[in-house]
Amino acid sequence: MLRSLVGSEMCIRDSILHSEEMATHQQGPGVLNYTNRKPYGVVGLISPWNLPLYLATWKIAPAIAFGNTCVIKPSEMSPATAQMLGDIFIKAKLPPGVVNIVHGLGAECGQPLVEHRDIPIISFTGGTSTGVHLSKTAAPAMKKLSLELGGKNANIIFEDSDINETVDATLRSSFANQGEICLCGSRILVQRSIYDRWLCAFVAKTRKLYIGAPTDPKSFMGALISKQHLEKVRGYIELAKTEGGVVETGGDTPSTLPKANEGGYFLRPTIITGLDANARCCQEEIFGPVVTVIPFDTEEEAVKIANGVSYGLAASIWTKDGRRANRVALALDTGYVWINCWLIRDLRCPFGGTKASGLGREGGKYAEDFYTDVKTICSKL
């Protein structure tokens, strides 16, 4: 795969100069307008800890395919896969200097990368607060930014959907990778007419999930990234109780952990009910195996609750009514919407968020727009 990527680099770069957008335009007798794209040179890439290999390659591949070199800073919390990827690049004989991997803390490595005067564009995936700080740093230098930030995604389940199907899908969208995915649906909105039946089935199946070592085939969830993060997530569970929430299941350490994993950063998947949609646990990104379940009566109410947060990354809609699905999808203030599915991605499609979930889009043609600069040339013949 890597050899194919490197071998096709020149073909992709050539296509930049000869795509349909580059068609000439005659402007009266003797005047010709045409456009040209070129790579920026060196691009800065900063990837997060939660999906380290996937999100690093999501940035590296288009950056170098469109003719740039890159400096990537992986998270200090999960640096191993980036180092392994670097070793693979060396074995694949990628020319030295095309991909440069820098390890270290954000203040020591990320900050100088963003500040560097010879790096005109930055692609960052991570927390919203860090994205805000990065924006303030990059703005005075007029750097081009792509920011994929946090989310508080709604999973909207209408009464005509199949309960078993939506419960099984919601188990994945809530607790995959311990809920440490920006696209996880942490707010489950269920139409009131099926709320009790749906919640009963969801709680029952959640209680059966096995939590253990990632190397154990039985494990549905592993440990959270760190002790500090585990304490943060537990803090939100305690906060939910003070806000009037009811912990239907989870919120504690699994009792079935193997001896070798005792003392690890494990947490049972947690379902909370009884909260107002404006409660902090329904508004702030928790980024762990914790979801809130909220009833709604009408389509309009569901949209209002879904849009009633500062984030706007993604959402899922579950209904057999195609017109309703598309109507709701258009009304949601998010960058990505799934209808009757979750986490099906076509990397040719644009990806990014609105509001506090980010700035810009990457993927497909949008990656070309981000990683290249376009110039218009007008020539009098």
Side-chain angles (χ1 to χ4, degrees):
M1 179 185 72
L2 292 171
R3 284 196 295 270
S4 174
L5 172 64
V6 174
S8 65
E9 181 184 357
M10 292 301 295
C11 294
I12 296 174
R13 288 175 59 188
D14 187 62
S15 74
I16 296 173
L17 304 177
H18 301 286
S19 67
E20 290 183 8
E21 182 194 82
M22 304 309 153
T24 58
H25 302 278
Q26 190 77 30
Q27 185 183 351
V31 178
L32 189 68
N33 289 277
Y34 61 98
T35 53
N36 171 268
R37 282 188 180 272
K38 65 178 182 179
Y40 279 95
V42 183
V43 302
L45 311 174
I46 303 175
S47 58
W49 51 259
N50 59 317
L51 297 172
L53 182 61
Y54 173 81
L55 291 172
T57 54
W58 163 255
K59 297 178 184 297
I60 292 171
I64 66 174
F66 289 116
N68 302 283
T69 61
C70 67
V71 180
I72 180 165
K73 182 214 166 303
S75 171
E76 65 274 14
M77 303 291 290
S78 53
T81 50
Q83 188 65 34
M84 294 168 67
L85 181 63
D87 293 338
I88 292 172
F89 281 143
I90 292 172
K91 292 178 182 178
K93 300 189 185 303
L94 187 71
V98 174
V99 176
N100 307 275
I101 302 171
V102 181
H103 294 292
L105 300 175
E108 298 172 355
C109 294
Q111 185 72 13
L113 182 65
V114 176
E115 292 175 347
H116 201 289
R117 64 182 183 181
D118 293 329
I119 298 178
I121 70 172
I122 300 289
S123 174
F124 170 82
T125 299
T128 297
S129 59
T130 306
V132 170
H133 173 77
L134 189 152
S135 297
K136 292 178 180 178
T137 302
M142 303 298 289
K143 292 178 183 279
K144 188 176 183 180
L145 295 180
S146 173
L147 305 176
E148 196 270 279
L149 307 176
K152 193 67 177 176
N153 310 310
N155 185 13
I156 305 172
I157 300 169
F158 286 97
E159 60 188 357
D160 63 338
S161 60
D162 182 272
I163 289 181
N164 289 326
E165 179 186 10
T166 56
V167 165
D168 289 341
T170 304
L171 287 173
R172 286 187 58 244
S173 66
S174 300
F175 306 126
N177 203 49
Q178 301 78 241
E180 296 171 323
I181 302 176
C182 60
L183 296 170
C184 278
S186 56
R187 294 181 298 147
I188 318 302
L189 313 185
V190 184
Q191 198 152 22
R192 197 177 301 275
S193 59
I194 63 167
Y195 177 84
D196 290 337
R197 286 183 295 142
W198 192 93
L199 178 63
C200 182
F202 184 47
V203 170
K205 288 196 173 185
T206 299
R207 286 173 175 164
K208 294 179 181 178
L209 297 178
Y210 183 79
I211 298 92
T215 52
D216 187 341
K218 301 192 303 294
S219 294
F220 184 88
M221 277 176 34
L224 276 70
I225 184 66
S226 68
K227 180 180 180 181
Q228 181 183 17
H229 189 58
L230 174 63
E231 291 174 349
K232 171 195 167 184
V233 174
R234 281 179 167 166
Y236 271 105
I237 296 171
E238 294 305 311
L239 173 63
K241 296 176 183 177
T242 68
E243 292 182 315
V246 176
V247 178
E248 300 287 347
T249 187
D252 54 4
T253 302
S255 60
T256 56
L257 285 174
K259 189 172 183 61
N261 299 114
E262 291 178 358
Y265 311 134
F266 293 88
L267 180 70
R268 284 205 302 138
T270 305
I271 301 170
I272 300 172
T273 61
L275 289 175
D276 183 85
N278 293 315
R280 283 182 59 192
C281 287
C282 297
Q283 292 285 316
E284 300 175 13
E285 185 179 42
I286 299 174
F287 213 66
V290 178
V291 298
T292 57
V293 187
I294 304 169
F296 69 89
D297 292 299
T298 66
E299 176 184 317
E300 293 74 19
E301 183 186 7
V303 170
K304 182 179 179 180
I305 295 172
N307 286 341
V309 294
S310 61
Y311 297 98
L313 186 57
S316 297
I317 302 166
W318 296 87
T319 178
K320 295 176 182 176
D321 185 335
R323 290 185 177 181
R324 171 200 277 161
N326 285 281
R327 190 168 57 241
V328 173
L330 291 171
L332 293 174
D333 295 332
T334 63
Y336 213 107
V337 179
W338 285 283
I339 297 175
N340 296 324
C341 60
W342 179 72
L343 209 58
I344 297 176
R345 291 284 311 279
D346 186 328
L347 300 185
R348 296 169 296 182
C349 295
F351 179 79
T354 63
K355 302 190 287 188
S357 289
L359 177 69
R361 298 290 184 270
E362 294 187 46
K365 180 67 170 60
Y366 291 80
E368 179 185 22
D369 290 339
F370 181 69
Y371 288 107
T372 64
D373 196 20
V374 64
K375 177 189 299 183
T376 299
I377 301 171
C378 176
S379 175
K380 185 175 181 181
L381 304 177

